[in-house]
């Protein structure tokens, strides 16, 4: 088919379907009249159309019309209500970005909560720390703390803190020196120093302590309740004489666990605990391993909390670090710590001989830190020690855990002795367990009650009553105190002192309990 | 359509009532299956509703509707090409080879008994001739012959040039003429000489 023929066919189609203008239609029709082939072609088209027009056109089904109209009506309502907001790029990313931001925020908060000890369960945290400390102690019980050396290299930028911590280092130095005289020469007593500093410090000083610990609120939070407790007991110890001072010292040794659980475990009275330790140690006469006390035991008694001699002593012991101290409370605190350090020697007498090699805390506690040469060396090492306050706290807690573990071991021996019928040996083990400095209230009350029973069993009513009285005095609100009171009454009734037996029981009320 | 887009649902109802039968016929003859044609018709109108906000009056509404319907038919044919499709000529009776063909069951548009009988005889032949056309020719013929869409608009619907549409139309008419001649049907069978459109 030529191009012209095609063009003619197209025109015929357009003519057939009426798509030509009237003028074009007339021209094509004129051509068709003169052209037989085109006329024949046009007839064929019209013939086919005539036949195909017979094709039936079925009506569209009615089904779905209602739903279709309802859908259209709904769509029309939406259209009349206005166009939907255009989906911009930021709208598309708003929800995923918001979700991502929420997830990140939640993760950060969760991480912070996991890192913040004050938001954790204190008991759980203490357990975790104790486990870690126990593992560390088991690996290297005598290893010197490398962290301390590292921390000592850190720059000191807080003069207040230096002023506060200087005496602590001094005491540590003294204790270390004493340990060296005894041939130990290892380990750091920074744990005690920390508690001493906290105990001797007035509230203002505690604020300074917290300031220094601001990067690590954990230590400050832990030390805060412990410092209050120890401050009370330190005052009491100084007023109560060397025996109570010893108790304070023992309490400091075991402060770690109690400070970590201030709600319940911070209850034990260190003074009374120390008194029992002193009794047991003096009775057994097992202080031979410790250095004899150099400082007079009555020194703390004569030392008032804010006496000027103590300020002078403080200035002498830590002149370099005390100079920039901006607070006036710092010298007092240091003086109190100094006094507390002088209280340490009685601990030497109270230290149990069975403070096995792993009982570092007991040894350190028994160190007479008031020795003159120790003080001199302590001054020289104070700048190292005051940087290790954080580590010292951890060390103290570790030692407390070690003491607890040792006490539990001795408790097991006591149980074994009880099963063997050797109540005397049981009492001895129990005394040794108490002398480890364990501060956990449950452990102490358990040991004391068992000690009470053991003494009663062997007929030593005086010792038994002393143990029971200690329970009543130190844990007045506990169930163990009620048991102890009952045993006291029974014991005294047996001794014909039934009338006087009710007094300790009434004295078990918290209001009357000496604090 | 512009009224409907402005929120008048009755405008859409009028559009549907006006165009639904020719659109259905186009779909039915192109898809070849009444049930499928019904679904495609419904889907076509749903697409019209959904696309109302995007409708631009650059072409006639019929062009737009048939474009939608044609595309749906093409997609359906592609999907159905993987299946076995019933033929309009296939007898409904299974195995006996007798019974009315599917095309014969398509209702007639209404006619006198005589003409009805004539058309009943003629329908299968016409449908067979139409079905014999290639789809691209059939759709052009359907749009031009029964839906009254101009060649220019058919070119828009099918996406080809107008000359291609006219060429396909010529081939479609020639093919129908030959097929009707084979089937023994010629233009003389038409009683009144009318055509479907125009």
């Amino acid at each position: 088919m030529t191009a012209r023929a095609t063009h003619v066919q197209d025109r015929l189609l357009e003519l057939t379907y009426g798509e030509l203008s009237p003028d074009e239609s007339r021209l094509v029709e004129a051509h068709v009249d003169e052209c037989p082939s085109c006329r024949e072609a046009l007839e064929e088209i019209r013939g086919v159309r005539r036949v195909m027009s017979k094709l039936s056109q079925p009506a569209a089904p009615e089904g779905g019309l209602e739903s279709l109209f309802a859908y259209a009506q709904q769509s029309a309502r939406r259209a009349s209500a206005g166009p939907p907001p255009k989906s911009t790029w930021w709208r598309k990313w708003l929800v995923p970005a918001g979700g991502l931001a929420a997830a990140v925020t939640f993760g950060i908060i969760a991480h912070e909560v996991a890192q913040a000890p004050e938001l954790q369960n204190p008991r759980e945290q203490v357990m975790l720390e104790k486990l870690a400390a126990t593992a560390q102690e088991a690996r290297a019980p005598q290893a010197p703390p490398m962290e301390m050396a590292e921390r000592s290299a850190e720059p000191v930028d807080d003069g207040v803190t230096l002023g506060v911590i200087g005496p602590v280092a001094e005491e540590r130095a003294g204790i270390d020196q004493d340990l060296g005289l005894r041939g130990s020469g290892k380990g750091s007593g920074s744990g005690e120093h920390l508690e001493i500093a906290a105990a001797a410090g007035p509230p203002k000083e505690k604020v300074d302590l917290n300031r220094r610990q601001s990067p690590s609120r954990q230590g400050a939070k832990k030390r805060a309740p412990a410092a209050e407790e120890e401050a009370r007991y330190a005052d009491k110890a100084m007023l109560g004489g060397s025996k109570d001072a010893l108790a304070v010292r023992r309490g400091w040794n075991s402060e770690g666990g109690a400070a970590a659980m201030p709600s319940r475990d911070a209850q034990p009275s260190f003074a009374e605990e120390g008194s029992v330790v002193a009794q047991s140690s003096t009775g057994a006469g097992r202080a031979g391993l410790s250095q004899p006390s150099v400082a007079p035991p009555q020194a703390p008694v004569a030392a008032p909390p804010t006496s000027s001699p103590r300020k002078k002593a403080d200035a002498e012991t830590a002149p370099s670090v005390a100079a920039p101290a901006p607070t006036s409370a710092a010298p007092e605190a240091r003086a109190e710590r100094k006094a507390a350090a002088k209280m340490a020697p009685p601990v030497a007498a109270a230290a149990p001989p069975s403070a096995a090699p792993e009982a570092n805390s007991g040894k350190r506690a028994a160190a007479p830190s008031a020795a003159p040469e120790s003080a001199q060396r302590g001054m020289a090492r104070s700048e190292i020690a005051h940087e290790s306050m954080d580590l010292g706290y951890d060390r103290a807690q570790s030692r407390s855990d070690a003491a607890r573990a040792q006490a539990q071991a001795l408790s097991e021996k006591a149980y074994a002795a009880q099963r063997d019928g050797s109540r005397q040996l049981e009492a001895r083990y129990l005394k040794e367990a108490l002398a480890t400095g364990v501060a956990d209230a449950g452990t102490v009350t358990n040991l004391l009650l068992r000690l009470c029973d053991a003494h009663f069993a062997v007929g030593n009513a005086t010792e038994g009553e002393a143990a029971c009285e200690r329970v009543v005095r130190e844990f007045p609100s506990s169930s163990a105190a009620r048991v102890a009171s009952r045993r006291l009454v029974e014991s005294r009734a047996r001794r014909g002192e039934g009338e006087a037996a009710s007094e300790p029981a009434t004295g078990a009320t918290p209001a009357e309990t000496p604090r | 359509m512009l009224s409907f887009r402005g929120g008048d649902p009755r405008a859409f109802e009028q559009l549907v009532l006006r165009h639904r039968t020719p659109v259905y016929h186009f779909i039915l003859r192109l898809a070849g299956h009444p049930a499928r044609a019904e679904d495609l018709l419904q889907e076509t109108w749903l697409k019209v509703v959904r696309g109302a906000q995007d409708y631009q009056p650059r072409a006639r509404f019929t062009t737009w509707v048939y474009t939608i319907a044609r595309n749906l038919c093409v997609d359906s044919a592609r999907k159905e090409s993987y299946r076995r499709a019933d033929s309009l000529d296939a007898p409904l009776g299974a195995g006996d080879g007798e019974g009315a063909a599917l095309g014969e069951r398509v209702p007639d548009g209404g006619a006198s008994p005589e003409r009805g009988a004539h058309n009943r005889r003629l329908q299968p032949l016409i449908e067979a001739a139409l079905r014999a056309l290639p789809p691209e020719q059939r759709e052009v013929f359907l749009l031009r012959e029964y839906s009254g869409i101009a060649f220019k608009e058919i070119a828009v619907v099918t996406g080809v040039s107008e000359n291609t549409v006219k060429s396909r139309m010529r081939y479609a008419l020639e093919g129908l003429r030959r097929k009707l001649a084979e089937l023994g049907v010629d233009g003389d069978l038409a009683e009144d000489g009318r055509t479907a459109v125009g």
Side-chain angles (χ1 to χ4, degrees):
Chain A
M1 189 178 292
T2 62
R4 176 175 174 76
T6 302
H7 177 71
V8 171
Q9 290 286 333
D10 289 346
R11 304 305 275 180
L12 290 178
L13 279 176
E14 292 169 349
L15 177 66
T16 303
Y17 288 100
E19 294 190 12
L20 292 176
S21 63
D23 294 339
E24 290 175 329
S25 296
R26 279 194 295 272
L27 289 174
V28 172
E29 287 174 353
H31 171 75
V32 167
D33 290 339
E34 297 174 357
C35 178
S37 61
C38 288
R39 188 169 51 248
E40 183 181 0
L42 185 61
E43 285 301 319
E44 288 177 355
I45 293 172
R46 286 175 176 169
V48 172
R49 290 194 67 200
R50 275 195 299 271
V51 174
M52 296 307 293
S53 66
K54 304 303 176 186
L55 181 66
S56 61
Q57 295 195 38
E62 300 290 331
L65 267 185
E66 293 300 323
S67 61
L68 178 65
F69 290 158
Y71 179 67
Q73 197 168 5
Q74 185 181 4
S75 178
R77 273 201 300 270
R78 284 199 301 266
S80 60
K86 290 192 75 174
S87 178
T88 56
W89 66 270
W90 63 270
R91 278 180 186 274
K92 274 194 296 187
W93 290 100
L94 183 61
V95 171
L100 183 63
V104 169
T105 305
F106 178 76
I108 291 173
I109 291 174
H111 183 262
E112 290 296 325
V113 168
Q115 294 296 321
E118 63 271 18
L119 297 179
Q120 291 177 343
N121 184 2
R123 186 173 300 276
E124 181 181 343
Q125 180 188 356
V126 167
M127 292 301 295
L128 290 174
E129 291 177 353
K130 285 181 177 179
L131 285 173
T134 305
Q136 184 179 359
E137 289 284 337
R139 282 196 301 270
Q142 298 295 329
M146 297 302 293
E147 299 88 347
M148 179 180 293
E150 294 172 0
R151 283 172 173 267
S152 65
E154 295 177 1
V156 178
D157 56 354
D158 193 339
V160 178
T161 304
L162 289 177
V164 170
I165 305 172
V168 177
E170 168 187 319
E171 289 189 50
R172 171 185 177 258
I175 292 172
D176 290 347
Q177 171 66 19
D178 296 335
L179 291 174
L181 289 175
R182 283 182 290 156
S184 168
K186 291 183 177 180
S188 71
S190 57
E192 295 91 335
H193 309 317
L194 171 63
E195 281 82 46
I196 291 167
K204 188 173 182 179
E205 188 173 355
K206 282 189 286 186
V207 172
D208 296 336
L209 193 66
N210 291 335
R211 272 182 52 197
R212 187 188 178 281
Q213 299 299 320
S214 58
S216 172
R217 294 178 58 204
Q218 177 177 355
K221 291 284 182 182
K222 286 178 182 174
R223 280 189 292 271
E228 294 173 2
E229 288 288 325
E230 290 166 5
R232 285 202 298 272
Y233 292 126
D235 292 341
K236 180 185 173 187
M238 283 184 282
L239 295 174
S242 61
K243 188 176 178 181
D244 288 342
L246 166 64
V248 171
R249 187 64 179 172
R250 298 298 301 167
W252 286 335
N253 291 337
S254 57
E255 181 271 338
M261 293 189 292
S263 60
R264 176 174 157 223
D265 296 332
Q267 292 295 329
S269 169
F270 300 117
E272 282 77 10
E273 180 186 357
S275 67
V276 173
V277 173
Q279 287 175 6
S280 61
S281 60
T282 52
R286 290 182 298 240
L289 290 178
S290 301
Q291 288 291 325
S293 174
V294 178
Q298 63 273 19
V301 180
T306 59
S307 63
S308 58
R310 274 184 286 148
K311 292 182 182 178
K312 181 180 178 182
D314 176 63
E316 292 173 356
T317 52
S320 60
V321 293
T327 62
S328 60
E332 297 178 9
R334 275 180 254 132
E336 289 184 5
R337 285 194 295 275
K338 184 74 176 177
K342 290 180 179 179
M343 294 178 218
V347 179
S354 62
E358 66 269 17
N360 293 328
S361 61
K363 287 184 178 180
R364 292 192 194 99
S369 61
E373 61 275 17
S374 300
Q376 293 295 327
R377 297 186 62 176
M379 290 171 55
R381 299 169 62 181
S382 61
E383 291 188 358
I384 299 174
H386 71 68
E387 283 295 325
S388 62
M389 200 159 67
D390 285 342
L391 183 63
Y393 173 77
D394 297 336
R395 287 266 161 198
Q397 196 169 17
S398 300
R399 276 193 297 277
S400 174
D401 297 336
R404 187 176 179 179
Q406 186 184 4
Q408 287 175 350
L410 289 168
S411 175
E412 291 298 324
K413 290 181 179 179
Y415 274 126
Q418 181 186 9
R419 284 193 297 270
D420 296 340
S422 177
R423 304 304 297 265
Q424 190 74 33
L425 187 60
E426 178 194 3
R428 179 183 167 190
Y429 283 139
L430 290 172
K431 282 181 182 179
E432 291 177 356
L434 286 167
T436 58
V438 63
D440 179 65
T443 305
V444 171
T445 53
N446 179 33
L447 293 173
L448 286 172
L449 283 179
R450 289 166 56 197
L451 181 62
C452 179
D453 291 341
H455 282 311
F456 285 149
V458 299
N460 191 353
T462 304
E463 294 287 338
E465 289 178 1
C468 288
E469 284 174 356
R470 183 182 169 189
V471 174
V472 172
R473 198 167 51 244
E474 295 184 7
F475 312 101
S477 59
S478 64
S479 60
R482 289 191 292 274
V483 175
S485 298
R486 194 162 53 246
R487 290 178 184 171
L488 277 173
V489 170
E490 293 170 358
S491 172
R492 288 172 182 172
R494 284 195 297 271
R495 291 167 55 190
E497 298 176 4
E499 294 179 356
S502 61
E503 292 182 0
T506 55
T509 58
E512 297 178 18
T513 302
R515 302 288 300 175
Chain B
M1 188 62 196
L2 292 176
S3 299
F4 172 62
R5 195 177 64 176
D8 184 9
R10 297 188 61 83
F12 177 76
E13 294 179 10
Q14 292 175 1
L15 286 172
V16 170
L17 294 176
R18 184 186 306 165
H19 296 283
R20 64 192 300 261
T21 296
V23 171
Y24 174 70
H25 185 246
F26 169 73
I27 294 172
L28 175 65
R29 299 304 175 191
L30 200 58
H33 198 282
R36 198 191 317 160
E38 188 174 352
D39 294 340
L40 291 173
L41 176 69
Q42 190 76 359
E43 195 170 348
T44 299
W45 291 118
L46 289 175
K47 282 204 167 190
V48 169
V49 174
R50 292 175 193 143
Q53 298 303 321
D54 299 329
Y55 171 72
Q56 297 294 332
R58 288 177 300 204
R60 295 176 60 188
F61 172 74
T62 51
T63 306
W64 186 45
V65 171
Y66 278 103
T67 303
I68 295 172
R70 185 250 180 195
N71 291 337
L72 287 172
C73 289
V74 170
D75 294 339
S76 175
R78 286 174 183 162
K79 293 174 185 174
E80 289 300 319
S81 65
Y82 299 102
R83 307 179 200 170
R84 178 184 173 273
D86 294 333
S87 171
L88 287 176
D89 293 330
L92 293 179
D96 55 3
E98 296 180 356
L102 184 59
E104 295 172 355
R105 295 166 55 124
V106 175
D108 197 342
S112 64
E114 284 186 2
R115 190 175 177 183
H118 174 75
N119 287 341
R120 277 195 294 275
R121 290 194 302 272
L122 194 60
Q123 286 299 316
L125 305 178
I126 297 174
E127 290 171 356
L130 184 61
R131 199 166 43 252
L133 292 179
E136 64 273 11
Q137 297 177 19
R138 188 164 68 231
E139 66 181 6
V140 170
F141 179 79
L142 289 171
L143 289 171
R144 177 64 265 192
E145 186 65 34
Y146 300 105
S147 299
I149 307 297
F151 292 117
K152 189 176 181 180
E153 294 177 7
I154 292 174
V156 175
V157 171
T158 56
V160 295
S161 67
E162 186 177 353
N163 289 332
T164 303
V165 169
K166 289 175 181 174
S167 175
R168 290 177 179 176
M169 188 66 185
R170 285 198 309 272
Y171 286 120
L173 289 171
E174 181 62 23
L176 286 172
R177 191 190 63 79
R178 282 201 301 266
K179 188 64 179 178
L180 289 173
E182 290 175 6
L183 296 173
V185 180
D186 55 22
D188 298 335
L189 291 175
E191 295 172 347
D192 51 6
R194 292 182 305 175
T195 56
V197 176

